[in-house]
Amino acid sequence: MVELHEISDEASSSSTTHCRGYDVFLSFRGVDTRHSFTNHLYNALMHANITTFMDDEEIETGEDLKPELESAIKASRASVIVLSTNYATSTWCLDELVLILEQRKASRHVVFPIFYHVEPTHVRKQQSSFGGAMAKHRQKMEAETNSSKRCQWAQKIECWNKALTEVADLKGMDANGRLEVELIDGIVKDIFRRLHTSSRFPLPQLIGVENSIKFVSSWLKDTSSHKTDILTILGVGGIGKTSLAKYVYTLHSHEFDTSSFIEDINRRCDEKSNGMLDVQKKLYEDISKPSSVQVHDVSTYTSMIENAVAREKVFLVLDDIGSLDQLDALLGRKGFHPGSKIIITTKDTWLTESCELFKLKGKSLTHEKHFLKGLFEIESQKLFCFHAFMCNDPKAGYEEVSEKLVKYCEGHPMALKVLGRNLHNRDVTYWDGYIDRLKKENNSPINNVLRMSFDSLPSENDKELFKHIACIFVGMDIDVATTILEACDIETRTGITNLIDRCFLSIGWYNKLIMHQLVQEMGRFVVREESFHKPWERSRLWGHESFRVLKQKKGTENVLGLTLDMKIINKEKLHGSLELKTDALSKC
């Protein structure tokens, strides 16, 4: 869970300079619940990163409210009032109650009454234990011989009576007949929802995706359908899928009964043998009451999740789904409570079409897709400059090299961010050679993210096809490329479809194969790894290295394909000696 800021705008405006801000102030009668319910509630709130004030001292009946408690109430966004059997016997508790309700009227202070084994009617009408406690306070008033103090007692009792009536009329929770763990879980979730705590999370810096934010936010707020809505956000690695999903989750999660954001699912499942169980456990705990049952089977957890999401309207974000098994294990096949929303981020278009749950589409489920593409040049420059210069435009003297770097990234947000941060406070001389150095670095952050996408390709045929296209066929007519590749016994029809689904490839104007420059470079990195210092031992050759290998007559049987740029040959004045008639050669 994202860490909460300690002081909210509302709290800071009403707090004293000596008191920190709190999300919740706990008002309770210590002899009733300090070492039981209230202590358990306090621990649950703090565990959920809800900053909570709980006084650790007991006060003798009749003492005035301490100044620090008054400050804590005024500095809190909400109060939880545990109305237990002996609550009204404490003048301190009653003074807290009066001040809390004054804060409710004066500001947006939220009040959560908990009727802890007492009847709301008894509180409202001062009956039973509340009636007895108020009778004793009146007896003390009548026994007071000082007329001024007696008048003060009368005024306080009148305020206490009004406060008890008012708090009993507020929407609260009744502990009667409920398990304490369920009650506490419900209180924590209610506080999250009513305080909109998620809206206080720091929002990520997003540039150039305003339209995507508006689209997803509008989709989330559309409650006209009684079905479950699923949105798949698609795009190549580093394009901003997670950032977009996190942004809208932060804005809107409080609008649902329960919510959960599970990040980086594919990596978490790959790193550990029981990774999926850990992910399921996190999801289940976010959307359901705590369970002491130890689960060691994925299918059992799936069944528990299915039952949990059927009960309440949920908002789930499943980030970076990498396989069909992951999707089925986390969503099941039975369906969700009407009005639920699920966002899935993935690099693979095919997955969300093949999930068991999606067979309900058209009956109780709707599904939309949102493709994230690269930023436009103006947005790219703004994002790059934000990280490189902490402003929207390049510094004087950096304009030309900044433009060169922005064009190199081709609108890829993560690449722009990484380059900007790495070049921050560097001189122009350092900038000039940076792109050339990047092209030679196999372990750059940008390449590593894209390499993970390549490694996740399930088929060796698709990996080989990707390397062929990245090294040789980008920009070529798809029909011509297919003819050549199939002659080399490479399956292309389903292979190209799979690469398009994985956002590695697209078909551009005039039927040309299009690949993002950074994706293409990653593919060429993979081939270079076959032999860093002896290019003739690699499987594919391109550019100057193709020319060098042919000139030096060092080609080996390892070479499956090469491409030659005729401009290089003309420059070297070797066109006639090589007798080449095409600008590309492929060898099976």
Side-chain angles (χ1 to χ4, degrees):
M1 184 176 294
V2 181
E3 184 178 354
L4 300 178
H5 296 307
E6 281 196 346
I7 301 179
S8 67
D9 294 337
E10 298 90 340
S12 60
S13 65
S14 60
S15 62
T16 67
T17 56
H18 302 290
C19 184
R20 54 177 281 193
Y22 295 93
D23 292 315
V24 171
F25 177 89
L26 283 179
S27 178
F28 63 98
R29 186 69 172 103
V31 295
D32 287 346
T33 65
R34 175 181 294 280
H35 301 294
S36 54
F37 173 77
T38 301
N39 186 56
H40 299 156
L41 174 59
Y42 173 80
N43 290 332
L45 291 168
M46 294 300 289
H47 181 71
N49 279 339
I50 299 173
T51 55
T52 305
F53 181 92
M54 175 179 171
D55 189 55
D56 58 1
E57 295 180 12
E58 194 62 70
I59 194 168
E60 294 297 327
T61 302
E63 292 185 23
D64 291 332
L65 196 62
K66 293 188 295 185
E68 54 265 37
L69 291 182
E70 293 186 25
S71 297
I73 291 171
K74 292 177 180 178
S76 298
R77 304 179 68 215
S79 291
V80 173
I81 304 168
V82 184
L83 295 159
S84 57
T85 304
N86 294 299
Y87 184 89
T89 63
S90 168
T91 59
W92 190 11
C93 288
L94 293 170
D95 285 343
E96 284 181 359
L97 177 62
V98 171
L99 183 56
I100 287 168
L101 295 175
E102 286 176 356
Q103 284 298 112
R104 178 175 178 267
K105 294 174 183 176
S107 65
R108 288 177 285 179
H109 193 90
V110 181
V111 179
F112 299 82
I114 308 300
F115 300 98
Y116 191 76
H117 303 304
V118 299
E119 296 295 331
T121 302
H122 295 165
V123 178
R124 183 183 299 109
K125 297 180 179 181
Q126 286 93 65
Q127 297 174 342
S128 189
S129 64
F130 283 80
M134 295 306 294
K136 288 182 179 180
H137 294 319
R138 284 191 291 270
Q139 289 173 5
K140 289 182 180 179
M141 175 193 70
E142 292 168 357
E144 181 59 61
T145 56
N146 184 302
S147 60
S148 176
K149 290 185 177 180
R150 184 170 182 171
C151 183
Q152 290 176 2
W153 265 102
Q155 290 174 351
K156 278 200 168 191
I157 289 174
E158 183 180 0
C159 289
W160 295 340
N161 286 332
K162 289 181 179 178
L164 289 170
T165 301
E166 182 180 343
V167 76
D169 287 334
L170 296 177
K171 181 181 178 182
M173 290 193 177
D174 192 343
N176 293 324
R178 299 184 65 177
L179 292 175
E180 186 172 293
V181 66
E182 290 182 352
L183 178 62
I184 290 174
D185 185 56
I187 294 169
V188 173
K189 290 178 179 178
D190 199 23
I191 288 172
F192 264 115
R193 182 170 64 251
R194 292 173 64 185
L195 288 189
H196 297 186
T197 47
S198 60
S199 65
R200 297 159 57 226
F201 295 169
L203 292 172
Q205 176 67 32
L206 296 185
I207 294 174
V209 292
E210 291 80 6
N211 289 336
S212 290
I213 292 171
K214 288 179 182 177
F215 169 79
V216 181
S217 294
S218 175
W219 172 82
L220 279 169
K221 287 182 173 294
D222 182 9
T223 56
S224 58
S225 170
H226 293 293
K227 299 180 178 181
T228 298
D229 293 331
I230 297 181
L231 175 69
T232 303
I233 301 176
L234 297 149
V236 70
I239 205 69
K241 302 182 296 296
T242 301
S243 296
L244 173 62
K246 188 176 293 185
Y247 192 98
V248 294
Y249 180 83
T250 299
L251 287 178
H252 300 289
S253 59
H254 64 270
E255 298 166 9
F256 295 80
D257 296 334
T258 59
S259 60
S260 179
F261 186 106
I262 312 294
E263 191 170 356
D264 218 1
I265 291 171
N266 197 45
R267 178 189 61 79
R268 292 168 68 173
C269 290
D270 285 345
E271 284 184 349
K272 299 170 62 178
S273 58
N274 61 341
M276 175 49 68
L277 281 173
D278 289 345
V279 171
Q280 288 180 308
K281 182 175 185 289
K282 172 68 168 65
L283 174 59
Y284 184 74
E285 288 179 348
D286 283 349
I287 62 176
S288 186
K289 63 184 180 182
S291 174
S292 59
V293 178
Q294 295 294 317
V295 180
H296 304 286
D297 180 68
V298 169
S299 61
T300 301
Y301 246 135
T302 300
S303 178
M304 292 167 64
I305 291 170
E306 287 175 333
N307 293 332
V309 298
R311 291 193 294 265
E312 293 182 302
K313 185 175 71 171
V314 300
F315 175 26
L316 308 183
V317 177
L318 306 180
D319 173 59
D320 194 25
I321 290 290
S323 73
L324 197 56
D325 288 342
Q326 294 168 10
L327 210 51
D328 288 338
L330 293 170
L331 295 182
R333 63 184 69 184
K334 293 183 178 179
F336 283 64
H337 191 281
S340 294
K341 300 275 186 176
I342 297 100
I343 292 178
I344 297 165
T345 75
T346 181
K347 307 175 189 71
D348 191 346
T349 309
W350 174 79
L351 288 180
T352 51
E353 293 296 336
S354 308
C355 175
E356 285 290 335
L357 181 66
F358 284 61
K359 294 177 181 178
L360 299 172
K361 193 163 71 170
K363 299 177 182 177
S364 60
L365 180 146
T366 63
H367 179 219
E368 290 193 53
K369 296 178 182 178
H370 183 68
F371 286 86
L372 277 184
K373 299 180 179 179
L375 304 180
F376 293 114
E377 190 168 340
I378 294 175
E379 298 164 336
S380 296
Q381 178 173 296
K382 185 177 179 182
L383 179 59
F384 175 75
C385 290
F386 175 83
H387 292 286
F389 307 110
M390 303 303 171
C391 59
N392 291 334
D393 300 296
K395 286 167 58 175
Y398 286 79
E399 295 88 351
E400 186 176 339
V401 68
S402 293
E403 182 180 356
K404 181 181 177 183
L405 285 160
V406 167
K407 286 184 177 178
Y408 168 76
C409 293
E410 290 188 358
H412 193 278
M414 192 199 73
L416 292 161
K417 180 179 177 180
V418 169
L419 290 190
R421 288 185 172 182
N422 288 347
L423 294 170
H424 179 61
N425 281 338
R426 301 283 191 175
D427 57 37
V428 177
T429 305
Y430 185 89
W431 283 47
D432 279 330
Y434 195 74
I435 291 180
D436 292 334
R437 290 197 297 273
L438 268 180
K439 291 180 178 180
K440 297 174 184 178
E441 287 182 10
N442 226 29
N443 291 318
S444 71
I446 302 166
N447 188 59
N448 288 342
V449 168
L450 297 173
R451 178 64 183 265
M452 288 169 62
S453 302
F454 169 79
D455 291 338
S456 70
L457 286 170
S459 163
E460 285 300 319
N461 178 84
D462 293 350
K463 289 180 179 179
E464 292 301 308
L465 176 62
F466 171 75
K467 289 188 282 187
H468 273 306
I469 295 174
C471 295
I472 298 173
F473 294 99
V474 170
M476 186 178 289
D477 181 281
I478 186 174
D479 294 327
V480 174
T482 298
T483 299
I484 296 172
L485 288 164
E486 288 187 344
C488 298
D489 204 26
I490 299 290
E491 204 292 308
T492 60
R493 296 299 176 184
T494 60
I496 287 177
T497 299
N498 291 340
L499 294 180
I500 291 173
D501 285 346
R502 293 270 179 154
C503 305
F504 281 130
L505 193 64
S506 61
I507 310 300
W509 292 104
Y510 307 110
N511 223 24
K512 303 291 186 183
L513 291 170
I514 304 297
M515 188 175 284
H516 192 286
Q517 178 175 303
L518 297 178
V519 175
Q520 183 182 18
E521 285 190 3
M522 178 272 292
R524 292 182 170 186
F525 277 134
V526 174
V527 173
R528 285 196 189 102
E529 286 179 340
E530 296 170 358
S531 178
F532 281 112
H533 305 296
K534 298 178 180 179
W536 55 88
E537 293 185 358
R538 300 174 191 161
S539 57
R540 289 105 176 150
L541 296 169
W542 63 92
H544 286 81
E545 290 175 343
S546 295
F547 170 70
R548 271 177 43 215
V549 169
L550 290 177
K551 184 179 179 181
Q552 297 171 9
K553 299 181 180 179
K554 287 188 176 181
T556 68
E557 292 183 358
N558 292 337
V559 179
L560 301 176
L562 62 84
T563 180
L564 284 172
D565 186 346
M566 298 302 290
K567 293 177 184 177
I568 299 175
I569 299 175
N570 288 330
K571 186 176 179 180
E572 297 292 331
K573 299 180 180 180
L574 291 173
H575 185 276
S577 63
L578 289 177
E579 296 181 350
L580 295 171
K581 297 181 181 180
T582 66
D583 63 352
L585 292 176
S586 293
K587 170 185 161 187
C588 302

